[in-house]
Amino acid sequence: EATATGRNPIFLIKIALILAGLANIALYHAAAHWRAALVPPSARLRAGVSAGLWIAVLLAGRSIAYW
């Protein structure tokens, strides 16, 4: 079963989305603006991208069984 899941293209997409989400977090924390009192638009954009990525991870995880 693990071999079949590892070959599933939706699973591979899920792993890629997780890596993209983690990279987004790393880039956010590398920037100094996360310590600022006012949230700049770039931080708001990153937050939206992050939310979209993690929702996509959830949807990909749910789709694995159907592919």
Side-chain angles (χ1 to χ4, degrees):
E1 190 71 34
T3 304
T5 301
R7 292 184 186 150
N8 188 332
I10 300 296
F11 176 74
L12 298 176
I13 290 170
K14 178 182 177 180
I15 296 300
L17 289 168
I18 289 171
L19 291 175
L22 292 174
N24 186 42
I25 291 170
L27 290 172
Y28 178 76
H29 282 284
H33 66 258
W34 70 275
R35 295 183 200 107
L38 295 175
V39 180
S42 63
R44 292 179 190 268
L45 177 65
R46 260 184 224 244
V49 168
S50 182
L53 283 170
W54 293 115
I55 290 170
V57 167
L58 291 171
L59 293 174
R62 298 297 300 162
S63 300
I64 289 172
Y66 302 109
W67 191 264

